[in-house]
Amino acid sequence: NGTLAAEISAAAGAINMVAAQGTATVYTTDGKLVAKAQVNGAATIAVAKGAYIVRVENGNDVVVKKVVL
C-alpha cells in the first residue's frame, strides 16, 4: 500500500479536494452523509456553511479532515 496524498480545503460554500484518485465522502459532524464523489485529480462539492468531516479513501489508504465553512 502507498500513502494517499490528498489536500482538502474549504472556500466560499464548497469543499475542494485534490488527490490522485479515490472516493470522497462528506459528513456533518453528527455523522449524517452529505455527499459522495469520485476524485480523479480534483473534485469540488458544494455545501452550506457549517462544519464537516471529509474522508478521502483509495483502497486501504484514508485521509480524514475536519473543515469549517
Side-chain angles (χ1 to χ4, degrees), residues 2-17:
T3 301
L4 176 63
E7 292 182 31
I8 302 167
S9 62
I15 296 171
N16 301 304
M17 292 150 287

Side-chain angles (χ1 to χ4, degrees), residues 17 19-25 35-45 56-57:
M17 292 150 287
Q21 188 172 357
T23 301
T25 47
K36 189 171 188 174
Q38 288 300 118
V39 180
N40 191 5
T44 300
I45 298 175
V56 179
E57 61 185 303

Side-chain angles (χ1 to χ4, degrees), residues 25-64:
T25 47
V26 179
Y27 300 92
T28 59
T29 54
D30 61 354
K32 294 179 184 171
L33 178 65
V34 174
K36 189 171 188 174
Q38 288 300 118
V39 180
N40 191 5
T44 300
I45 298 175
V47 291
K49 283 187 177 182
Y52 299 92
I53 304 297
V54 181
R55 176 184 173 104
V56 179
E57 61 185 303
N58 182 349
N60 292 328
D61 297 326
V62 178
V63 175
V64 178

